[in-house]
DNA sequence: GCGTCAGATCAACTCACAGC
DNA sequence: GCTGTGAGTTGATCTGACGC
C-alpha cells in the first residue's frame, strides 16, 4: 500500500470503542443529562472525568460525533473553487436526506473560537446537513495546522476531481499560509517538480483571471503553463482582462471560458502573424486537387486526398530523399549567390 | 449503434542544471 | 548537499473519425 493510502486509512481507523454517542460528547457540545438522581457535585465530577478521557482520546486518535453544522467553520485554506454547478450538490443533499450521511467529515476544535469546530474536509456535507436542518457526523481529531492542510489535500486527491488550477491555487494558499514546500507536496501528493509547476502557474496568473475562468476541469497543466507564459506579456494580459470583462464571457461554461481567455492572450495584434494553423489545397498541373497542406506552429502535415492513387503516396515517399537533396543543393546555391 | 484506430491531452516520473 | 525549475519521456485516458 502506498504512503498516501496508508495516511488516508489512518484518518479513518478510529477504534470502535472511540465512537461516541450523544452521551459522551465533549464539553463544547450540548450535553445530555447523565441522570437526575445524582447530586450536582457527582454529575459535575463525572462530566469532568469524561471530558478528561475525551481529551486523551482526541489527542491519541479520533472520535465520531454528531454536531450542529452551524458550529463548523470551513478550513482557512480553500481547496476548491465555489461550485458553480449546483446539480452535484443537490444530488448529495438528496442522498443524505434519503439515506443519511454515510461518510463523516473531519474536524478539529477551532483554534480561536471556543465551542466551535474547523473542518479539514466535508464542506459540502456540512452545507447539505445545515440546509436539511440535521446534525452532521464528524470525526474529531486533534490536528496541527499542517496536519489539517495535509488531511484536507489527501481527502481530495483520491477523488481526482480537483482540476489543475484548483490544485495550483490550493498549493499557493498553503504556501502563502506559511507552510513549507514539503507540506504542499504532502497535501497534494506530488513531487518537488510537480509542486513547483503548480505554484509557478498559480503565481503567474492573476487571481481575478483564475476566478473569472473557474475550475476548467478539462484543461490540464500544459495549457495552463502556456497561458501563464503568454500573459507575462502585459499586452496579452490586457487582452485577457478585456475578454473576461465582456458580459458573454461569464455566460460560457468554465472550459470554454479558458479557451476564450487563451484565445485572447494569443490573438495577434494588427501586423502580427496569425498562429492559427494554415491550411491550403494542393492542385496538379491539370487542376486536379491531389492533397492539402496544414501548417501549424510546430509541424507541417501533407495529406494525400483519397481519390488519388495510393501508389502516388508511395512514389512521393520514395522520392523524398532525392527531393530533399535537390532542395539542399538549391538552397546552398542561393545562399552563396546572396553572399 | 458499435468497435477500432489515431491523435490529443493528461499526470507522473526522471534527469540535468542552476542557485544557495 | 539541498532545493527549485525546466525539459523530456512514458503510459493512461479521452475524443472524434471511420468502417461495418
Amino acid at each position: 500500500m502506498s504512503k498516501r493510502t496508508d495516511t488516508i486509512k489512518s484518518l479513518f481507523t478510529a477504534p470502535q470503542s472511540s465512537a461516541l454517542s450523544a452521551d459522551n460528547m465533549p464539553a463544547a457540545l450540548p450535553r445530555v443529562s447523565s441522570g437526575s438522581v445524582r447530586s450536582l457535585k457527582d454529575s459535575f465530577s463525572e462530566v469532568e472525568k469524561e471530558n478528561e478521557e475525551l481529551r486523551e482520546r482526541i489527542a491519541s486518535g479520533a472520535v465520531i460525533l454528531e454536531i450542529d453544522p452551524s458550529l463548523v467553520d470551513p478550513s482557512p485554506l480553500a481547496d476548491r473553487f465555489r461550485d458553480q454547478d449546483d446539480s452535484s450538490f443537490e444530488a448529495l443533499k438528496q442522498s443524505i436526506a434519503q439515506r443519511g450521511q454515510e461518510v463523516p467529515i473531519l474536524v478539529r476544535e477551532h483554534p480561536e473560537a471556543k465551542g466551535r469546530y474547523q473542518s479539514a474536509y466535508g464542506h459540502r456535507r456540512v452545507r447539505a446537513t445545515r440546509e436539511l436542518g440535521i446534525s452532521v457526523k464528524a470525526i474529531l481529531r486533534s490536528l496541527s495546522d499542517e496536519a489539517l492542510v495535509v488531511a484536507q489535500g489527501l481527502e481530495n486527491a483520491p477523488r481526482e476531481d480537483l482540476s489543475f488550477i484548483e490544485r495550483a491555487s490550493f498549493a499557493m494558499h498553503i504556501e502563502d499560509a506559511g507552510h513549507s514546500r514539503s507540506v504542499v507536496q504532502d497535501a497534494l501528493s506530488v513531487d518537488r517538480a510537480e509542486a513547483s509547476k503548480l505554484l509557478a502557474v498559480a503565481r503567474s496568473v492573476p487571481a481575478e483571471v483564475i476566478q473569472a475562468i473557474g475550475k476548467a476541469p478539462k484543461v490540464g497543466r500544459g495549457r495552463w503553463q502556456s497561458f501563464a507564459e503568454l500573459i507575462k506579456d502585459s499586452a496579452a494580459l490586457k487582452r485577457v482582462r478585456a475578454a473576461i470583462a465582456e458580459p458573454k464571457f461569464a455566460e460560457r461554461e468554465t472550459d470554454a471560458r479558458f479557451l476564450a481567455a487563451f484565445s485572447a492572450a494569443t490573438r495577434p495584434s494588427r501586423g502580427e502573424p496569425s498562429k492559427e494553423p494554415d491550411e491550403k489545397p494542393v492542385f496538379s498541373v491539370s487542376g486536379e486537387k491531389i492533397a492539402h497542406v496544414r501548417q501549424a506552429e510546430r509541424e507541417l502535415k501533407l495529406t494525400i486526398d483519397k481519390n488519388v492513387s495510393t501508389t502516388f503516396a508511395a512514389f512521393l515517399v520514395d522520392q523524398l530523399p532525392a527531393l530533399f537533396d535537390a532542395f539542399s543543393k538549391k538552397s546552398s546555391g542561393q545562399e552563396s549567390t546572396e553572399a
Side-chain angles (χ1 to χ4, degrees), chain A residues 79 162-172 188 190 194 198:
Chain A
D79 56 1
L162 279 187
S163 67
F164 175 83
I165 197 65
E166 282 181 305
R167 294 195 303 138
S169 295
F170 184 40
M172 186 175 70
L188 289 156
V190 294
E194 188 64 16
L198 285 165

Side-chain angles (χ1 to χ4, degrees), chain A residues 178-193:
Chain A
H179 298 296
S180 66
R181 275 288 164 102
S182 62
V183 175
V184 174
Q185 290 170 231
D186 288 344
L188 289 156
S189 298
V190 294
D191 58 12
R192 288 187 298 129

Side-chain angles (χ1 to χ4, degrees), chain A residues 39-103:
Chain A
S39 70
L40 187 63
K41 188 180 175 183
D42 285 347
S43 296
F44 182 75
S45 73
E46 183 153 348
V47 169
E48 276 301 293
K49 189 180 169 187
E50 284 180 7
N51 284 347
E52 185 57 36
E53 285 175 6
L54 266 170
R55 282 188 202 102
E56 287 175 9
R57 287 160 75 176
I58 290 166
S60 61
V63 292
I64 298 174
L65 310 169
E66 287 201 11
I67 55 182
D68 181 350
S70 66
L71 295 174
V72 182
D73 295 326
S75 163
L77 299 176
D79 56 1
R80 61 174 67 236
F81 297 163
R82 185 171 172 79
D83 204 348
Q84 285 153 334
D85 174 16
D86 267 3
S87 60
S88 62
F89 172 73
E90 285 303 322
L92 172 71
K93 190 174 155 185
Q94 200 172 355
S95 167
I96 291 174
Q98 288 171 351
R99 299 203 299 272
Q101 182 194 344
E102 292 172 345
V103 183

Side-chain angles (χ1 to χ4, degrees), chain A residues 96-148:
Chain A
I96 291 174
Q98 288 171 351
R99 299 203 299 272
Q101 182 194 344
E102 292 172 345
V103 183
I105 66 170
L106 179 66
V107 298
R108 68 171 180 177
E109 287 181 337
H110 201 295
E112 290 159 9
K114 191 171 170 61
R116 297 190 65 81
Y117 300 88
Q118 205 166 47
S119 62
Y121 55 75
H123 315 320
R124 281 152 51 91
R125 276 165 276 172
V126 172
R127 184 182 154 202
T129 52
R130 189 181 297 144
E131 290 185 12
L132 289 167
I134 60 175
S135 58
V136 62
K137 286 179 187 159
I139 297 172
L140 176 62
R141 289 200 68 179
S142 174
L143 296 169
S144 65
D145 288 348
E146 287 190 0
L148 180 86

